[in-house]
Amino acid sequence: MFKANKNYLNLQGSYLFSTIAKKVAAYQEAHPDADIIRLGIGDVTQPLVPEIIKTLHEGVDEMAHKETFHGYSPDLGYEFLRSAIAEEYRQRGCQVSDNEIFVSDGAKSDSGNIQEIFSEDSRVAVCDPVYPVYVDSNVMAGRSGAYDQAAGRYKNFIYMPCTEANNFTPEFPKENPDIIYLCYPNNPTGMAITKERLQDWVDYANKIGAVIIYDAAYEAYITEDSCPHSIYECEGARTCAIEIRSFSKNAGFTGVRLGFTVVPEELKDADGVCMHDLWARRHGTKFNGAPYIVQKAGAAVYTPEGKQQIREQVGYYQKNASAIYNGLKDAGYTVYGGVNAPYIWLKTPDNLTSWEFFDRLLHEVNIVGTPGSGFGPSGEHFFRLTAFGSYENTVRAIDRIKNW
């Protein structure tokens, strides 16, 4: 008789955003005339910029002719896209070669899949609060141990609290981890990390022989010069870090799907195994490549026209973030983030729990956000709002909260 992978039984509840969607759907069904403003899920709302649309059309036309038709893409992705990405890294002073870039269908997929190339008994360290995919994918792989309901944590994971006391930047854990997940600019807190502090993490990882999985999905939103756009701006990162990037938040590819992961050739485990080669084997075995049309559109992101248009679109969302941050602050709320990221981390008033605030916000002013506790126990009494809505709806939402 077949048996299920019982590691899945250790997962707690449903995926956070699925729970939110069900709650909102139930409220909408009971109140069909409610004008709900959604500032919860981090999905973009503005259309793809003209340069990308033009390039997508060109790609579609190419697929209609035998001479320019494309089937399966190369394992790592098309050279024209990887070379454009590598050049962008070089312009930031980072040493990243074309063959260290693996094109995929998005950062979420890579964030969940990257753990497969590491030992099953690896100790995993995550920030708390944390993007749920880092935790859940390692639970599925059997690294979590039992779940402590009272603590809201898994026994075998190493949690690094990110709180007001440490400015939402984790401190080195007391136990030595093997895999460290860092996300900056951070989801969900919206906080960024300085290059000096990130260098400390790189030095720490190299010292103890750990690997950093660095999620840089929101680097396009960085406005402060002290914050690095890539972990490879730090000395020594090539021997301890894997970087994951997305086209979703900078170029609006949430519905198009494209991302990439950088695995340096110098990154080797304790026995000298090259992690680049393992990821290449995994990538070639389990992934057939992002579509040619999408990769062609991805290359348009790095053209002069594409860069200018994307900067304008990112600026649109940054304007939303400023409106939320300043509006809530003026209304007397304690808020963080929103300067180098499209997320605002709001402290719930009157000591309300995150889900209590979610319910009140939905039922009383018809606004949807994300409860901080859904990202981990240190997220309790906090709430995430996203700047990815329209500017008009963003202003309307803040006005509702101000008048609440």
Side-chain angles (χ1 to χ4, degrees):
M1 182 72 180
F2 71 89
K3 291 185 178 181
N5 178 352
K6 290 189 170 53
N7 292 320
Y8 278 66
L9 302 181
N10 281 333
L11 293 168
Q12 297 304 299
S14 63
Y15 186 56
L16 171 61
F17 297 105
S18 299
T19 302
I20 291 172
K22 290 175 183 176
K23 277 179 167 280
V24 175
Y27 179 81
Q28 187 84 73
E29 184 177 356
H31 305 84
D33 297 327
D35 177 21
I36 298 176
I37 300 176
R38 300 169 189 267
L39 300 180
I41 192 169
D43 193 3
V44 296
T45 55
Q46 297 302 297
L48 297 172
V49 299
E51 185 64 19
I52 291 173
I53 290 295
K54 184 189 79 171
T55 309
L56 279 170
H57 282 297
E58 292 173 357
V60 170
D61 289 340
E62 288 180 41
M63 297 297 280
H65 302 281
K66 182 178 180 181
E67 297 77 15
T68 52
F69 173 80
H70 290 79
Y72 291 125
S73 74
D75 278 358
L76 273 65
Y78 285 99
E79 173 60 27
F80 62 78
L81 176 56
R82 292 187 290 110
S83 63
I85 294 170
E87 177 58 28
E88 184 77 6
Y89 272 110
R90 281 190 285 272
Q91 290 178 10
R92 292 201 177 277
C94 303
Q95 181 190 347
V96 172
S97 64
D98 300 15
N99 68 345
E100 294 172 327
I101 297 165
F102 296 80
V103 177
S104 70
D105 61 353
K108 182 176 181 179
S109 298
D110 286 354
S111 295
N113 294 330
I114 194 69
Q115 51 77 28
E116 290 187 21
I117 65 173
F118 296 100
S119 169
E120 293 178 6
D121 60 357
S122 297
R123 292 297 308 277
V124 175
V126 295
C127 292
D128 172 25
V130 62
Y131 180 46
V133 172
Y134 312 151
V135 170
D136 289 354
S137 58
N138 279 286
V139 173
M140 294 171 181
R143 298 189 182 97
S144 67
Y147 185 73
D148 185 335
Q149 197 73 42
R153 294 176 171 179
Y154 289 95
K155 178 182 177 182
N156 291 344
F157 289 161
I158 299 170
Y159 290 86
M160 303 180 293
C162 298
T163 65
E164 287 178 292
N166 60 19
N167 199 32
F168 302 101
T169 302
E171 300 168 1
F172 300 143
K174 294 178 181 178
E175 303 173 76
N176 285 349
D178 301 304
I179 303 172
I180 303 166
Y181 285 84
L182 294 179
C183 172
Y184 283 101
N186 187 256
N187 177 18
T189 67
M191 300 296 281
I193 193 170
T194 66
K195 182 178 179 180
E196 181 181 10
R197 183 56 178 158
L198 187 56
Q199 183 67 62
D200 290 341
W201 274 100
V202 168
D203 294 342
Y204 167 77
N206 277 319
K207 179 181 178 181
I208 67 170
V211 61
I212 297 173
I213 309 299
Y214 194 74
D215 185 346
Y218 302 96
E219 62 81 26
Y221 292 83
I222 292 173
T223 61
E224 296 178 319
D225 293 339
S226 60
C227 302
H229 289 254
S230 167
I231 196 169
Y232 299 120
E233 294 178 40
C234 296
E235 185 178 351
R238 289 180 55 82
T239 56
C240 71
I242 291 172
E243 183 162 284
I244 298 173
R245 291 282 193 97
S246 170
F247 286 76
S248 289
K249 313 301 171 146
N250 62 336
F253 276 42
T254 55
V256 180
R257 307 309 306 147
L258 191 65
F260 65 89
T261 289
V262 177
V263 186
E265 293 184 333
E266 288 99 315
L267 184 65
K268 297 179 180 180
D269 81 342
D271 298 319
V273 176
C274 179
M275 304 311 290
H276 173 278
D277 294 347
L278 293 192
W279 185 243
R281 186 67 172 88
R282 191 266 172 208
H283 204 65
T285 300
K286 293 190 174 184
F287 184 61
N288 266 339
Y292 167 76
I293 297 168
V294 175
Q295 293 194 49
K296 184 177 175 71
V301 169
Y302 299 98
T303 64
E305 298 83 1
K307 287 182 179 180
Q308 179 184 346
Q309 293 169 11
I310 287 169
R311 276 196 299 267
E312 292 173 0
Q313 191 166 86
V314 168
Y316 178 93
Y317 294 128
Q318 287 173 323
K319 182 180 177 182
N320 288 351
S322 295
I324 297 171
Y325 180 92
N326 292 321
L328 292 175
K329 199 168 184 179
D330 290 344
Y333 289 89
T334 300
V335 288
Y336 299 93
V339 176
N340 297 294
Y343 296 122
I344 288 80
W345 195 235
L346 160 70
K347 193 169 186 177
T348 59
D350 304 323
N351 206 37
L352 290 170
T353 69
S354 300
W355 281 106
E356 286 172 344
F357 187 72
F358 173 90
D359 289 333
R360 285 193 58 183
L361 201 64
L362 174 61
H363 288 257
E364 297 179 22
V365 287
N366 297 161
I367 296 172
V368 178
T370 308
S373 60
F375 298 101
S378 292
E380 184 58 278
H381 302 298
F382 283 90
F383 201 77
R384 193 192 77 174
L385 293 173
T386 172
F388 286 123
S390 69
Y391 180 71
E392 294 75 18
N393 278 345
T394 299
V395 171
R396 289 172 60 223
I398 297 307
D399 285 342
R400 287 185 190 180
I401 293 175
K402 282 182 174 181
N403 298 320
W404 191 10

